């Protein structure tokens, strides 16, 4: 595990850009494609800023989601909808490169549909992402995996539906830990003192009850990129 502490959000965005560029270009050079999972929330804002500066062959990116909220694409809470409005116009990524979550159906059907789309994109039922770009809420959740929720112990599903998310909106789909921990690289990007307590519990106290602490890629690399406010208790 590598922990990188930077001064502020601007430095975090710069660090993120250089990490993503290296991992993406290595993946493309070695395997021809770059499979990446985007998160929503604050990571979405960092990515919309930093990806504009990344030098890469965008045509070889395959973009999926670590989780998604089941709301219409034009809703402010839609993760894909926000990337569509805020990121696509600023990069050479096109909408067809995004593996989108079906809307207007039950969470169960959306999870099943997304699993099928990922199987097609990876050409296998084994979803080995090159990079998952992860966020963490002040309660320690990552993706849509919340503290105390039974989905933390899911072992069979690769993508799970959730209909009782404690954070709005309640209906979502999420990658599960078996999928997350198969990734070649998992990178958390965290800013702000509201996350300092959880960062301490994860990185200092090794508190396994915090969902984000359970991200431990089996044979991949784990990066925590923190600003000084979120890292203040370390
Ligand atoms: O609801 C969500 O929250 C987490 C954390 O969001 P943040 O704004 O506190 O960074 C995010 O990673 C996830 O993708 C999103 O659906």
């Amino acid at each position: 595990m590598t922990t990188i502490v930077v001064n502020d959000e601007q430095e975090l965005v710069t660090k993120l850009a250089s990490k993503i560029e290296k991992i993406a270009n290595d993946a493309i050079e070695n395997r021809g494609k770059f499979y990446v999972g985007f998160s929503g929330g604050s990571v979405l804002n960092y990515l919309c800023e930093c990806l504009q500066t990344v030098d890469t062959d965008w045509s070889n990116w395959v973009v999926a989601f670590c989780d998604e909220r089941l709301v219409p694409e034009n809703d402010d809470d839609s993760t894909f909808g926000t990337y569509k409005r805020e990121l696509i116009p600023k990069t050479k990524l096109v909408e067809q490169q995004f593996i989108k979550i079906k809307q207007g159906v039950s969470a169960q059907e959306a999870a099943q549909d997304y699993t099928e789309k990922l199987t097609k994109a990876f050409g296998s039922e084994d979803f080995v992402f090159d990079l998952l770009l992860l966020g963490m809420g002040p309660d320690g959740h990552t993706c849509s995996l919340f503290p105390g929720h039974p989905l933390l112990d899911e072992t069979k599903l690769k993508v799970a539906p959730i209909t009782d998310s404690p954070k709005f909106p309640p209906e979502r789909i999420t990658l599960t830990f078996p999928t997350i921990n198969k990734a070649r690289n998992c990178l958390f990007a965290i800013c702000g003192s509201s996350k300092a307590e959880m960062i301490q519990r994860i990185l200092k106290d090794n508190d396994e009850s915090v969902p984000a602490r359970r991200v431990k890629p089996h044979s991949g690399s784990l990066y925590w990129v923190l600003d000084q406010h979120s890292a203040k208790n370390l």
Side-chain angles (χ1 to χ4, degrees):
M1 180 173 74
T2 307
T3 306
I4 299 164
V5 181
V6 296
N7 281 319
D8 54 23
E9 189 175 314
Q10 200 47 55
E11 271 189 31
L12 177 132
V13 163
T14 307
K15 177 59 77 182
L16 212 50
S18 66
K19 280 270 169 215
I20 295 170
E21 184 173 296
K22 168 127 188 41
I23 294 170
N25 292 345
D26 283 353
I28 293 168
E29 197 180 315
N30 293 318
R31 292 176 296 280
K33 291 230 172 282
F34 174 51
Y35 290 89
V36 61
F38 286 0
S39 289
S42 46
V43 165
L44 184 157
N45 298 326
Y46 310 147
L47 292 180
C48 288
E49 201 181 333
C50 85
L51 290 179
Q52 297 176 57
T53 65
V54 168
D55 183 12
T56 183
D57 180 352
W58 293 102
S59 66
N60 286 316
W61 283 45
V62 179
V63 183
F65 294 94
C66 299
D67 70 326
E68 175 62 290
R69 295 104 178 252
L70 297 187
V71 292
E73 201 177 289
N74 59 4
D75 190 300
D76 284 349
D77 276 314
S78 164
T79 296
F80 170 69
T82 313
Y83 280 113
K84 183 176 173 181
R85 288 187 297 278
E86 305 291 333
L87 177 72
I88 291 181
K90 296 175 192 155
T91 63
K92 290 189 177 138
L93 281 172
V94 295
E95 189 170 337
Q96 291 69 25
Q97 285 171 266
F98 285 77
I99 304 175
K100 291 184 276 178
I101 284 81
K102 194 170 180 180
Q103 300 291 348
V105 295
S106 68
Q108 173 113 13
E109 191 180 334
Q112 177 65 33
D113 176 76
Y114 188 51
T115 306
E116 285 162 17
K117 286 175 180 161
L118 288 177
T119 306
K120 201 168 162 204
F122 281 95
S124 149
E125 286 183 1
D126 215 19
F127 309 153
V128 182
F129 282 91
D130 293 303
L131 174 62
L132 293 176
L133 290 156
L134 299 166
M136 180 191 71
D139 61 352
H141 83 271
T142 189
C143 301
S144 287
L145 297 162
F146 291 89
H149 196 280
L151 274 184
L152 298 182
D153 298 317
E154 176 60 46
T155 54
K156 291 197 180 76
L157 294 174
K158 291 167 185 165
V159 174
I162 169 166
T163 54
D164 57 355
S165 162
K167 180 176 172 183
F168 185 84
E171 300 221 319
R172 296 155 170 251
I173 61 100
T174 183
L175 300 182
T176 56
F177 284 118
T179 303
I180 295 168
N181 286 329
K182 267 191 198 162
R184 291 192 171 90
N185 296 277
C186 291
L187 189 156
F188 282 95
I190 310 288
C191 283
S193 55
S194 69
K195 304 198 172 161
E197 186 199 331
M198 285 299 157
I199 290 297
Q200 175 189 328
R201 283 173 59 183
I202 293 167
L203 297 180
K204 214 170 161 189
D205 308 337
N206 289 321
D207 182 345
E208 292 281 338
S209 71
V210 182
R213 175 71 184 87
R214 299 196 189 190
V215 175
K216 294 176 196 162
H218 304 309
S219 53
S221 303
L222 173 60
Y223 301 96
W224 284 88
V225 185
L226 311 169
D227 77 336
Q228 58 170 330
H229 302 292
S230 62
K232 69 180 179 186
N233 297 343
L234 296 183

